[in-house]
């Protein structure tokens, strides 16, 4: 069966520090991968999605970037974090056969 | 562009009472519609989805939702609330052929003992 791993679960970082959140999927090949952010009091916002290795689509211009170095690995990065980057980050993958989206357990990022 | 509106950011119901969480969508083509639930300190879980088959969709944990095209609605219901239903619920819309999944702002459901 398929599983999705996302880490770390919580992260506290100072303003201006770099960021790297990792997400890996097991049990499937060539999944569509997504990074979402949920800011406090707001809905989920799609940040990036990828339909294949090295293919990244950005939905919102911002301080973050994403990379997909391997088929089942999706990384969210920043060179210098801002206070506004605080939030709950969710990685997800989609099963193209039934349109289902499966989410990781999320990373709570606090930028201080 | 597609969008989703969830009426009521907070809903409180008594244990055993009917749960009704509202969702209205806007889409230029027949959409796929989803309800997700987020329990405290956990990721999102899929409750149910509508993908143009039966208009009444049954999901996990006794929840169901009805797609009403004339009302552009996809409200989530459960006949009898349980304490374990307390969570944040998100409605989402997805157009076939588009990778975007657009979420509503969420409804926090509180169950009163």
């Amino acid at each position: 069966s398929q599983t999705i791993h996302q880490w770390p679960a919580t992260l506290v970082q100072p303003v201006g520090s770099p960021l790297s959140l990792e997400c890996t999927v097991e049990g499937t090949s060539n999944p569509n991968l997504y990074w979402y952010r949920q800011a406090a009091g707001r809905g989920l916002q799609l940040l990036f999605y990828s339909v294949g290795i090295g293919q990244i689509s950005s939905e919102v211009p911002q301080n973050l970037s994403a990379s997909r170095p391997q088929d089942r690995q999706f990384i969210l990065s920043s060179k210098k974090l801002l206070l506004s980057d605080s939030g709950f980050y969710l990685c997800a993958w989609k099963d193209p056969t039934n349109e289902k989206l499966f989410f990781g357990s999320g990373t709570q990022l606090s930028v201080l | 562009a597609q969008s989703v509106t969830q009426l009521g950011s907070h809903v409180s119901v008594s244990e055993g009472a009917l749960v009704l969480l509202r969702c209205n969508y806007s889409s230029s083509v027949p959409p796929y519609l989803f309800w997700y639930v987020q329990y405290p300190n956990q990721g999102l879980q899929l409750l149910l989805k509508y993908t143009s088959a039966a208009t009444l969709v049954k999901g996990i944990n006794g929840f169901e939702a009805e797609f009403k095209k004339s009302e552009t609605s996809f409200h989530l219901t459960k006949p009898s609330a349980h304490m374990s239903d307390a969570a944040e619920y998100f409605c989402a819309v997805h157009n076939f052929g588009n990778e975007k999944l657009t979420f509503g702002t969420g409804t926090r459901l509180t169950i009163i003992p």
Side-chain angles (χ1 to χ4, degrees):
Chain A
S1 63
Q2 303 92 348
T3 55
I4 179 168
H5 302 281
Q6 186 181 341
W7 67 91
T10 59
L11 190 60
V12 180
Q13 291 284 96
V15 169
S17 64
L19 173 73
S20 180
L21 301 181
E22 189 161 342
C23 174
T24 59
V25 181
E26 296 177 0
T28 186
S29 297
N30 197 32
N32 290 351
L33 296 171
Y34 306 80
W35 276 110
Y36 285 89
R37 176 172 61 195
Q38 182 183 344
R42 296 158 67 177
L44 280 170
Q45 180 183 38
L46 176 63
L47 302 176
F48 302 94
Y49 70 87
S50 171
V51 299
I53 296 175
Q55 299 178 59
I56 308 294
S57 295
S58 174
E59 287 297 305
V60 182
Q62 58 209 327
N63 185 41
L64 303 168
S65 62
S67 62
R68 186 169 177 175
Q70 300 179 39
D71 181 44
R72 288 169 285 179
Q73 184 184 30
F74 205 25
I75 299 172
L76 183 70
S77 305
S78 174
K79 292 182 179 178
K80 288 186 178 181
L81 282 169
L82 306 172
L83 288 174
S84 57
D85 291 325
S86 294
F88 188 66
Y89 290 81
L90 280 166
C91 179
W93 73 276
K94 188 171 78 167
D95 182 343
T97 64
N98 61 15
E99 299 295 319
K100 259 189 176 183
L101 200 62
F102 297 90
F103 288 87
S105 54
T107 297
Q108 183 65 51
L109 173 65
S110 299
V111 182
L112 306 176
Chain B
Q2 59 198 28
S3 65
V4 171
T5 302
Q6 288 184 245
L7 294 175
S9 58
H10 292 86
V11 171
S12 296
V13 302
S14 298
E15 190 175 13
L18 170 72
V19 176
L20 170 61
L21 304 182
R22 299 179 185 274
C23 173
N24 288 88
Y25 70 91
S26 171
S27 176
S28 57
V29 297
Y32 292 168
L33 293 161
F34 304 80
W35 275 100
Y36 285 87
V37 60
Q38 185 179 17
Y39 297 104
N41 302 315
Q42 296 184 33
L44 288 174
Q45 297 177 34
L46 178 66
L47 268 182
L48 49 81
K49 64 183 174 98
Y50 166 77
T51 55
S52 73
T55 56
L56 182 62
V57 182
K58 295 187 183 298
I60 62 172
N61 300 337
F63 284 93
E64 61 182 37
E66 186 172 7
F67 173 72
K68 291 187 176 180
K69 185 178 180 180
S70 60
E71 299 177 8
T72 60
S73 68
F74 191 56
H75 302 329
L76 182 70
T77 61
K78 181 173 180 177
S80 177
H82 192 273
M83 294 301 294
S84 61
D85 295 327
E88 185 100 18
Y89 291 80
F90 290 90
C91 182
V93 60
H94 175 216
N95 286 346
F96 180 76
N98 183 325
E99 290 307 317
K100 263 191 181 180
L101 187 66
T102 303
F103 286 85
T105 51
T107 298
R108 183 169 298 274
L109 177 64
T110 300
I111 310 299
I112 303 167

